[in-house]
mmCIF file of all heavy atoms in Angstrom:
data_model
loop_
_atom_site.group_PDB
_atom_site.id
_atom_site.type_symbol
_atom_site.label_atom_id
_atom_site.label_comp_id
_atom_site.label_asym_id
_atom_site.label_seq_id
_atom_site.Cartn_x
_atom_site.Cartn_y
_atom_site.Cartn_z
ATOM 1 N N GLN P 34 49.275 119.271 93.756
ATOM 2 C CA GLN P 34 50.620 119.693 94.163
ATOM 3 C C GLN P 34 51.649 119.259 93.133
ATOM 4 O O GLN P 34 52.543 120.021 92.771
ATOM 5 C CB GLN P 34 51.004 119.086 95.516
ATOM 6 C CG GLN P 34 50.767 119.974 96.687
ATOM 7 C CD GLN P 34 51.441 119.429 97.936
ATOM 8 O OE1 GLN P 34 52.556 118.928 97.902
ATOM 9 N NE2 GLN P 34 50.749 119.546 99.050
ATOM 10 N N ILE P 35 51.531 118.034 92.684
ATOM 11 C CA ILE P 35 52.472 117.506 91.688
ATOM 12 C C ILE P 35 52.379 118.316 90.403
ATOM 13 O O ILE P 35 53.402 118.721 89.842
ATOM 14 C CB ILE P 35 52.200 116.010 91.422
ATOM 15 C CG1 ILE P 35 52.612 115.182 92.645
ATOM 16 C CG2 ILE P 35 52.923 115.531 90.171
ATOM 17 C CD1 ILE P 35 52.162 113.735 92.607
ATOM 18 N N ARG P 36 51.180 118.563 89.952
ATOM 19 C CA ARG P 36 50.987 119.312 88.698
ATOM 20 C C ARG P 36 51.499 120.735 88.793
ATOM 21 O O ARG P 36 51.969 121.289 87.801
ATOM 22 C CB ARG P 36 49.524 119.316 88.309
ATOM 23 C CG ARG P 36 49.065 117.986 87.789
ATOM 24 C CD ARG P 36 47.653 118.038 87.324
ATOM 25 N NE ARG P 36 47.295 116.754 86.736
ATOM 26 C CZ ARG P 36 46.130 116.491 86.247
ATOM 27 N NH1 ARG P 36 45.188 117.412 86.247
ATOM 28 N NH2 ARG P 36 45.882 115.303 85.733
ATOM 29 N N SER P 37 51.423 121.329 89.971
ATOM 30 C CA SER P 37 51.883 122.711 90.121
ATOM 31 C C SER P 37 53.396 122.802 90.321
ATOM 32 O O SER P 37 53.956 123.890 90.321
ATOM 33 C CB SER P 37 51.167 123.383 91.300
ATOM 34 O OG SER P 37 51.602 122.812 92.526
ATOM 35 N N GLY P 38 54.052 121.654 90.485
ATOM 36 C CA GLY P 38 55.503 121.663 90.694
ATOM 37 C C GLY P 38 55.892 122.141 92.073
ATOM 38 O O GLY P 38 56.985 122.660 92.274
ATOM 39 N N LYS P 39 54.995 121.963 93.032
ATOM 40 C CA LYS P 39 55.245 122.421 94.397
ATOM 41 C C LYS P 39 55.028 121.288 95.400
ATOM 42 O O LYS P 39 54.353 121.458 96.406
ATOM 43 C CB LYS P 39 54.347 123.605 94.726
ATOM 44 C CG LYS P 39 54.638 124.810 93.868
ATOM 45 C CD LYS P 39 53.740 125.960 94.185
ATOM 46 C CE LYS P 39 54.088 127.110 93.262
ATOM 47 N NZ LYS P 39 53.123 128.180 93.303
ATOM 48 N N LEU P 40 55.632 120.144 95.119
ATOM 49 C CA LEU P 40 55.522 118.995 96.007
ATOM 50 C C LEU P 40 56.385 119.242 97.236
ATOM 51 O O LEU P 40 57.577 119.528 97.124
ATOM 52 C CB LEU P 40 55.989 117.733 95.276
ATOM 53 C CG LEU P 40 55.850 116.409 96.015
ATOM 54 C CD1 LEU P 40 54.380 116.104 96.292
ATOM 55 C CD2 LEU P 40 56.479 115.288 95.206
ATOM 56 N N ASP P 41 55.780 119.173 98.421
ATOM 57 C CA ASP P 41 56.571 119.396 99.637
ATOM 58 C C ASP P 41 56.964 118.067 100.279
ATOM 59 O O ASP P 41 56.429 117.015 99.941
ATOM 60 C CB ASP P 41 55.843 120.316 100.630
ATOM 61 C CG ASP P 41 54.501 119.774 101.094
ATOM 62 O OD1 ASP P 41 54.405 118.558 101.359
ATOM 63 O OD2 ASP P 41 53.565 120.566 101.221
ATOM 64 N N LYS P 42 57.913 118.144 101.193
ATOM 65 C CA LYS P 42 58.472 116.950 101.806
ATOM 66 C C LYS P 42 57.414 116.159 102.571
ATOM 67 O O LYS P 42 57.367 114.925 102.489
ATOM 68 C CB LYS P 42 59.621 117.334 102.744
ATOM 69 C CG LYS P 42 60.346 116.161 103.334
ATOM 70 C CD LYS P 42 61.538 116.603 104.150
ATOM 71 C CE LYS P 42 62.296 115.408 104.710
ATOM 72 N NZ LYS P 42 63.502 115.826 105.422
ATOM 73 N N GLU P 43 56.565 116.855 103.291
ATOM 74 C CA GLU P 43 55.512 116.200 104.076
ATOM 75 C C GLU P 43 54.586 115.379 103.168
ATOM 76 O O GLU P 43 54.239 114.242 103.482
ATOM 77 C CB GLU P 43 54.710 117.256 104.834
ATOM 78 C CG GLU P 43 53.602 116.707 105.687
ATOM 79 C CD GLU P 43 52.831 117.821 106.382
ATOM 80 O OE1 GLU P 43 53.458 118.641 107.067
ATOM 81 O OE2 GLU P 43 51.597 117.846 106.221
ATOM 82 N N THR P 44 54.227 115.944 102.036
ATOM 83 C CA THR P 44 53.349 115.248 101.099
ATOM 84 C C THR P 44 54.053 114.050 100.482
ATOM 85 O O THR P 44 53.462 112.967 100.370
ATOM 86 C CB THR P 44 52.865 116.207 99.996
ATOM 87 O OG1 THR P 44 52.208 117.315 100.613
ATOM 88 C CG2 THR P 44 51.906 115.519 99.042
ATOM 89 N N LEU P 45 55.308 114.225 100.085
ATOM 90 C CA LEU P 45 56.059 113.115 99.505
ATOM 91 C C LEU P 45 56.172 111.965 100.496
ATOM 92 O O LEU P 45 55.954 110.806 100.141
ATOM 93 C CB LEU P 45 57.455 113.569 99.063
ATOM 94 C CG LEU P 45 58.358 112.470 98.490
ATOM 95 C CD1 LEU P 45 57.723 111.821 97.259
ATOM 96 C CD2 LEU P 45 59.733 113.030 98.174
ATOM 97 N N LEU P 46 56.474 112.261 101.745
ATOM 98 C CA LEU P 46 56.568 111.217 102.761
ATOM 99 C C LEU P 46 55.221 110.536 102.980
ATOM 100 O O LEU P 46 55.150 109.321 103.144
ATOM 101 C CB LEU P 46 57.116 111.779 104.071
ATOM 102 C CG LEU P 46 58.589 112.175 104.045
ATOM 103 C CD1 LEU P 46 58.979 112.897 105.328
ATOM 104 C CD2 LEU P 46 59.477 110.967 103.814
ATOM 105 N N PHE P 47 54.150 111.315 102.959
ATOM 106 C CA PHE P 47 52.806 110.747 103.090
ATOM 107 C C PHE P 47 52.537 109.768 101.946
ATOM 108 O O PHE P 47 52.039 108.661 102.163
ATOM 109 C CB PHE P 47 51.756 111.870 103.092
ATOM 110 C CG PHE P 47 50.341 111.370 103.097
ATOM 111 C CD1 PHE P 47 49.733 110.994 104.291
ATOM 112 C CD2 PHE P 47 49.621 111.255 101.921
ATOM 113 C CE1 PHE P 47 48.426 110.524 104.306
ATOM 114 C CE2 PHE P 47 48.313 110.787 101.918
ATOM 115 C CZ PHE P 47 47.722 110.423 103.119
ATOM 116 N N VAL P 48 52.878 110.171 100.722
ATOM 117 C CA VAL P 48 52.649 109.306 99.561
ATOM 118 C C VAL P 48 53.495 108.046 99.672
ATOM 119 O O VAL P 48 53.001 106.937 99.440
ATOM 120 C CB VAL P 48 52.941 110.054 98.241
ATOM 121 C CG1 VAL P 48 52.906 109.099 97.060
ATOM 122 C CG2 VAL P 48 51.939 111.180 98.045
ATOM 123 N N LEU P 49 54.759 108.193 100.028
ATOM 124 C CA LEU P 49 55.632 107.025 100.141
ATOM 125 C C LEU P 49 55.116 106.039 101.187
ATOM 126 O O LEU P 49 55.098 104.830 100.953
ATOM 127 C CB LEU P 49 57.062 107.452 100.472
ATOM 128 C CG LEU P 49 57.832 108.115 99.330
ATOM 129 C CD1 LEU P 49 59.126 108.733 99.857
ATOM 130 C CD2 LEU P 49 58.108 107.135 98.211
ATOM 131 N N LYS P 50 54.679 106.555 102.328
ATOM 132 C CA LYS P 50 54.188 105.686 103.393
ATOM 133 C C LYS P 50 52.872 105.000 103.026
ATOM 134 O O LYS P 50 52.550 103.945 103.556
ATOM 135 C CB LYS P 50 54.018 106.482 104.690
ATOM 136 C CG LYS P 50 55.336 106.868 105.311
ATOM 137 C CD LYS P 50 55.167 107.735 106.535
ATOM 138 C CE LYS P 50 56.524 108.152 107.062
ATOM 139 N NZ LYS P 50 56.427 109.115 108.159
ATOM 140 N N ASN P 51 52.122 105.613 102.118
ATOM 141 C CA ASN P 51 50.816 105.073 101.733
ATOM 142 C C ASN P 51 50.780 104.617 100.284
ATOM 143 O O ASN P 51 49.698 104.519 99.689
ATOM 144 C CB ASN P 51 49.730 106.137 101.979
ATOM 145 C CG ASN P 51 49.589 106.452 103.447
ATOM 146 O OD1 ASN P 51 49.106 105.638 104.214
ATOM 147 N ND2 ASN P 51 50.053 107.624 103.845
ATOM 148 N N ILE P 52 51.931 104.316 99.716
ATOM 149 C CA ILE P 52 52.010 103.983 98.297
ATOM 150 C C ILE P 52 51.160 102.758 97.944
ATOM 151 O O ILE P 52 50.531 102.725 96.888
ATOM 152 C CB ILE P 52 53.479 103.826 97.833
ATOM 153 C CG1 ILE P 52 53.574 103.834 96.301
ATOM 154 C CG2 ILE P 52 54.121 102.576 98.410
ATOM 155 C CD1 ILE P 52 53.399 105.179 95.703
ATOM 156 N N GLY P 53 51.102 101.784 98.818
ATOM 157 C CA GLY P 53 50.286 100.597 98.562
ATOM 158 C C GLY P 53 48.804 100.931 98.497
ATOM 159 O O GLY P 53 48.080 100.454 97.612
ATOM 160 N N ALA P 54 48.342 101.753 99.425
ATOM 161 C CA ALA P 54 46.931 102.149 99.437
ATOM 162 C C ALA P 54 46.588 103.000 98.220
ATOM 163 O O ALA P 54 45.503 102.862 97.643
ATOM 164 C CB ALA P 54 46.621 102.917 100.720
ATOM 165 N N ILE P 55 47.522 103.862 97.822
ATOM 166 C CA ILE P 55 47.288 104.699 96.641
ATOM 167 C C ILE P 55 47.218 103.833 95.384
ATOM 168 O O ILE P 55 46.384 104.052 94.514
ATOM 169 C CB ILE P 55 48.369 105.793 96.527
ATOM 170 C CG1 ILE P 55 48.193 106.803 97.673
ATOM 171 C CG2 ILE P 55 48.302 106.501 95.180
ATOM 172 C CD1 ILE P 55 49.315 107.797 97.822
ATOM 173 N N GLU P 56 48.078 102.817 95.308
ATOM 174 C CA GLU P 56 48.032 101.902 94.170
ATOM 175 C C GLU P 56 46.681 101.179 94.129
ATOM 176 O O GLU P 56 46.053 101.077 93.069
ATOM 177 C CB GLU P 56 49.165 100.887 94.240
ATOM 178 C CG GLU P 56 49.172 99.927 93.073
ATOM 179 C CD GLU P 56 50.255 98.868 93.156
ATOM 180 O OE1 GLU P 56 50.766 98.616 94.267
ATOM 181 O OE2 GLU P 56 50.573 98.299 92.111
ATOM 182 N N CYS P 57 46.215 100.697 95.270
ATOM 183 C CA CYS P 57 44.905 100.023 95.336
ATOM 184 C C CYS P 57 43.784 100.970 94.927
ATOM 185 O O CYS P 57 42.872 100.586 94.197
ATOM 186 C CB CYS P 57 44.647 99.482 96.736
ATOM 187 S SG CYS P 57 45.679 98.083 97.173
ATOM 188 N N GLN P 58 43.876 102.205 95.394
ATOM 189 C CA GLN P 58 42.860 103.202 95.067
ATOM 190 C C GLN P 58 42.840 103.473 93.557
ATOM 191 O O GLN P 58 41.782 103.719 92.984
ATOM 192 C CB GLN P 58 43.144 104.493 95.835
ATOM 193 C CG GLN P 58 42.029 105.495 95.809
ATOM 194 C CD GLN P 58 42.346 106.709 96.654
ATOM 195 O OE1 GLN P 58 43.495 107.137 96.730
ATOM 196 N NE2 GLN P 58 41.335 107.265 97.286
ATOM 197 N N SER P 59 44.008 103.387 92.912
ATOM 198 C CA SER P 59 44.062 103.644 91.467
ATOM 199 C C SER P 59 43.335 102.562 90.672
ATOM 200 O O SER P 59 42.982 102.773 89.518
ATOM 201 C CB SER P 59 45.518 103.763 90.998
ATOM 202 O OG SER P 59 46.166 102.511 90.980
ATOM 203 N N TYR P 60 43.131 101.406 91.274
ATOM 204 C CA TYR P 60 42.410 100.318 90.615
ATOM 205 C C TYR P 60 40.964 100.212 91.078
ATOM 206 O O TYR P 60 40.094 99.868 90.289
ATOM 207 C CB TYR P 60 43.081 98.967 90.882
ATOM 208 C CG TYR P 60 44.437 98.827 90.263
ATOM 209 C CD1 TYR P 60 45.569 98.739 91.054
ATOM 210 C CD2 TYR P 60 44.595 98.778 88.885
ATOM 211 C CE1 TYR P 60 46.826 98.611 90.482
ATOM 212 C CE2 TYR P 60 45.848 98.652 88.294
ATOM 213 C CZ TYR P 60 46.955 98.570 89.107
ATOM 214 O OH TYR P 60 48.193 98.444 88.547
ATOM 215 N N ALA P 61 40.731 100.479 92.359
ATOM 216 C CA ALA P 61 39.446 100.114 92.945
ATOM 217 C C ALA P 61 38.516 101.270 93.292
ATOM 218 O O ALA P 61 37.382 101.029 93.687
ATOM 219 C CB ALA P 61 39.691 99.293 94.218
ATOM 220 N N ALA P 62 38.967 102.510 93.143
ATOM 221 C CA ALA P 62 38.098 103.635 93.508
ATOM 222 C C ALA P 62 36.857 103.664 92.622
ATOM 223 O O ALA P 62 36.930 103.402 91.419
ATOM 224 C CB ALA P 62 38.859 104.951 93.398
ATOM 225 N N ILE P 63 35.740 103.955 93.224
ATOM 226 C CA ILE P 63 34.480 104.009 92.489
ATOM 227 C C ILE P 63 34.395 105.319 91.705
ATOM 228 O O ILE P 63 34.014 105.325 90.540
ATOM 229 C CB ILE P 63 33.281 103.861 93.454
ATOM 230 C CG1 ILE P 63 33.301 102.459 94.072
ATOM 231 C CG2 ILE P 63 31.966 104.132 92.734
ATOM 232 C CD1 ILE P 63 32.315 102.246 95.180
ATOM 233 N N ASN P 64 34.780 106.403 92.338
ATOM 234 C CA ASN P 64 34.764 107.716 91.700
ATOM 235 C C ASN P 64 35.894 107.778 90.673
ATOM 236 O O ASN P 64 37.062 107.615 91.012
ATOM 237 C CB ASN P 64 34.932 108.795 92.774
ATOM 238 C CG ASN P 64 34.891 110.190 92.216
ATOM 239 O OD1 ASN P 64 35.391 110.461 91.136
ATOM 240 N ND2 ASN P 64 34.301 111.083 93.000
ATOM 241 N N GLN P 65 35.565 108.028 89.425
ATOM 242 C CA GLN P 65 36.547 108.026 88.343
ATOM 243 C C GLN P 65 37.617 109.115 88.533
ATOM 244 O O GLN P 65 38.787 108.901 88.219
ATOM 245 C CB GLN P 65 35.843 108.207 86.992
ATOM 246 C CG GLN P 65 36.739 107.969 85.806
ATOM 247 C CD GLN P 65 37.314 106.554 85.762
ATOM 248 O OE1 GLN P 65 36.683 105.591 86.175
ATOM 249 N NE2 GLN P 65 38.531 106.436 85.261
ATOM 250 N N GLU P 66 37.233 110.257 89.063
ATOM 251 C CA GLU P 66 38.181 111.355 89.296
ATOM 252 C C GLU P 66 39.217 110.960 90.349
ATOM 253 O O GLU P 66 40.411 111.215 90.185
ATOM 254 C CB GLU P 66 37.414 112.603 89.739
ATOM 255 C CG GLU P 66 38.264 113.841 89.829
ATOM 256 C CD GLU P 66 37.437 115.059 90.185
ATOM 257 O OE1 GLU P 66 36.381 115.265 89.550
ATOM 258 O OE2 GLU P 66 37.859 115.789 91.099
ATOM 259 N N VAL P 67 38.767 110.314 91.409
ATOM 260 C CA VAL P 67 39.667 109.834 92.461
ATOM 261 C C VAL P 67 40.586 108.754 91.911
ATOM 262 O O VAL P 67 41.784 108.733 92.183
ATOM 263 C CB VAL P 67 38.863 109.305 93.673
ATOM 264 C CG1 VAL P 67 39.762 108.610 94.686
ATOM 265 C CG2 VAL P 67 38.086 110.431 94.333
ATOM 266 N N LYS P 68 40.011 107.872 91.128
ATOM 267 C CA LYS P 68 40.776 106.780 90.530
ATOM 268 C C LYS P 68 41.900 107.326 89.638
ATOM 269 O O LYS P 68 43.040 106.874 89.704
ATOM 270 C CB LYS P 68 39.815 105.911 89.708
ATOM 271 C CG LYS P 68 40.370 104.619 89.225
ATOM 272 C CD LYS P 68 39.251 103.849 88.516
ATOM 273 C CE LYS P 68 39.561 102.396 88.432
ATOM 274 N NZ LYS P 68 38.469 101.624 87.847
ATOM 275 N N GLU P 69 41.567 108.302 88.820
ATOM 276 C CA GLU P 69 42.551 108.897 87.907
ATOM 277 C C GLU P 69 43.633 109.660 88.678
ATOM 278 O O GLU P 69 44.821 109.569 88.349
ATOM 279 C CB GLU P 69 41.831 109.834 86.932
ATOM 280 C CG GLU P 69 42.607 110.161 85.693
ATOM 281 C CD GLU P 69 42.943 108.949 84.847
ATOM 282 O OE1 GLU P 69 42.133 108.025 84.726
ATOM 283 O OE2 GLU P 69 44.066 108.936 84.298
ATOM 284 N N ALA P 70 43.240 110.392 89.715
ATOM 285 C CA ALA P 70 44.217 111.123 90.522
ATOM 286 C C ALA P 70 45.166 110.150 91.220
ATOM 287 O O ALA P 70 46.387 110.363 91.242
ATOM 288 C CB ALA P 70 43.506 112.007 91.550
ATOM 289 N N ALA P 71 44.634 109.071 91.774
ATOM 290 C CA ALA P 71 45.463 108.065 92.443
ATOM 291 C C ALA P 71 46.428 107.422 91.461
ATOM 292 O O ALA P 71 47.606 107.197 91.776
ATOM 293 C CB ALA P 71 44.582 107.010 93.107
ATOM 294 N N LYS P 72 45.944 107.142 90.266
ATOM 295 C CA LYS P 72 46.798 106.545 89.232
ATOM 296 C C LYS P 72 47.941 107.492 88.878
ATOM 297 O O LYS P 72 49.094 107.069 88.768
ATOM 298 C CB LYS P 72 45.960 106.235 87.988
ATOM 299 C CG LYS P 72 46.726 105.607 86.862
ATOM 300 C CD LYS P 72 45.805 105.326 85.689
ATOM 301 C CE LYS P 72 46.595 104.829 84.499
ATOM 302 N NZ LYS P 72 45.749 104.652 83.322
#
Side-chain angles (χ1 to χ4, degrees):
Q34 264 192 40
I35 289 169
R36 287 184 176 180
S37 69
K39 296 179 181 169
L40 184 63
D41 60 41
K42 185 175 182 176
E43 180 181 306
T44 303
L45 178 59
L46 290 172
F47 175 83
V48 171
L49 288 169
K50 289 176 183 174
N51 295 290
I52 194 75
I55 291 170
E56 181 183 20
C57 290
Q58 192 177 35
S59 73
Y60 293 113
I63 294 171
N64 182 323
Q65 190 60 33
E66 188 176 312
V67 171
K68 190 176 200 176
E69 199 61 38
K72 181 179 174 185

